[in-house]
Amino acid sequence: MQDIQINNIEILKELNSYSDFIMDKWNSKSLQKDLHLTSINDKAEDFVSVEYLENLIKKGHAGFPESLKGYSGLMPDHKGELQRISSRGMAYRDTNAALNNTLMAMLSAKRNSLATVYPPGGFISWHHNANAPGYNIIFTWSENGKGWFKYKDPKTKEIVTMHDKVGWNCKMGYFGSYHEPDKIFYHSAYTDCVRISIAYIFSQAENFWKDVIEDIEECH
């Protein structure tokens, strides 16, 4: 997993417009009323600890996280969330869809794999996404930088912590499949402030992957 500097002006424009929309809703207390907060009673320390990770590895893992404390309903393909979303809440889904259409066209992403808003104390439990493998890009916006992304390096087995910076962050890496045990990528995240996370999956072509990195890092 590597940090990518977002220098592309057009990409930053789209991302900033999205975070401005989300934070306007958050500061007005609308978001908290319009969207559904998942895993309300789950405690972060029970799902992002090293002990939890070790137990998860021992018992086996299906791929998706067992717990995510964040506001759901942003992704247009989450059919199960429709019944939980108010008419006001559809504005979030439409705004996220507009961002997806633009970024996926600019970056030629395969699909949007995650879109959520974490409140202070929000988290996503350790998981590896081996059931949805591929090259990934994760755009993260942090209100004041009090958050992190952790992963277990598939080669060294070291637990690596990547601390959030204020504003937009970008990380890119490869999530291996069940057929690539040496590339299984366990990861988790936690925040003490508002945190927005949007992730995309790309094709398996490494050369294409490098082109995407260049597009993000170059000023346009």
Side-chain angles (χ1 to χ4, degrees):
M1 182 64 68
Q2 64 184 107
D3 272 319
I4 303 299
Q5 186 67 38
I6 309 175
N7 296 319
N8 187 304
I9 296 174
E10 291 303 315
I11 292 177
L12 271 175
K13 178 182 177 181
E14 297 297 328
L15 291 172
N16 285 331
S17 177
Y18 184 76
S19 57
D20 287 347
F21 167 79
I22 293 296
M23 289 309 295
D24 178 66
K25 296 294 187 181
W26 174 268
N27 291 328
S28 67
K29 308 297 182 183
S30 297
L31 186 148
Q32 297 90 320
K33 298 177 182 178
D34 297 338
L35 298 181
H36 173 67
L37 179 62
T38 62
S39 303
I40 297 175
N41 297 319
D42 287 351
K43 297 179 181 180
E45 57 265 30
D46 294 334
F47 292 94
V48 299
S49 68
V50 174
E51 180 181 7
Y52 172 83
L53 171 61
E54 293 175 346
N55 289 333
L56 191 68
I57 294 174
K58 288 179 181 178
K59 71 177 183 180
H61 178 51
F64 289 138
E66 293 183 343
S67 182
L68 185 158
K69 187 173 185 178
Y71 288 93
S72 65
L74 297 172
M75 294 177 67
D77 57 346
H78 279 191
K79 299 178 182 179
E81 294 294 337
L82 283 175
Q83 60 186 4
R84 297 180 176 180
I85 299 175
S86 66
S87 59
R88 297 188 308 275
M90 291 303 295
Y92 301 84
R93 177 166 294 200
D94 293 342
T95 301
N96 184 71
L99 175 68
N100 283 340
N101 290 338
T102 300
L103 290 187
M104 290 178 71
M106 294 175 70
L107 302 173
S108 299
K110 189 175 180 180
R111 71 174 183 273
N112 175 218
S113 57
L114 174 69
T116 193
V117 178
Y118 299 100
F123 65 89
I124 186 169
S125 62
W126 283 102
H127 62 292
H128 56 46
N129 291 129
N131 55 331
Y135 289 96
N136 278 253
I137 176 172
I138 305 172
F139 290 108
T140 302
W141 184 89
S142 178
E143 182 181 21
N144 55 35
K146 294 182 179 179
W148 48 255
F149 175 94
K150 289 186 180 181
Y151 68 91
K152 183 172 184 178
D153 190 293
K155 294 182 179 180
T156 67
K157 309 305 179 184
E158 175 188 6
I159 302 297
V160 180
T161 301
M162 303 176 75
H163 294 282
D164 291 342
K165 299 175 183 177
V166 175
W168 282 103
N169 303 254
C170 181
K171 303 174 183 66
M172 303 185 81
Y174 182 75
F175 295 169
S177 70
Y178 292 111
H179 304 294
E180 303 171 291
D182 60 328
K183 295 181 180 179
I184 294 295
F185 194 83
Y186 282 95
H187 54 286
S188 63
Y190 173 81
T191 182
D192 275 326
C193 63
V194 179
R195 187 180 198 262
I196 304 168
S197 188
I198 307 166
Y200 298 96
I201 296 178
F202 292 78
S203 67
Q204 301 285 348
E206 186 173 352
N207 289 336
F208 172 73
W209 172 251
K210 294 178 180 178
D211 289 340
V212 173
I213 293 176
E214 289 181 5
D215 285 342
I216 296 172
E217 291 189 324
E218 289 184 0
C219 294
H220 292 278

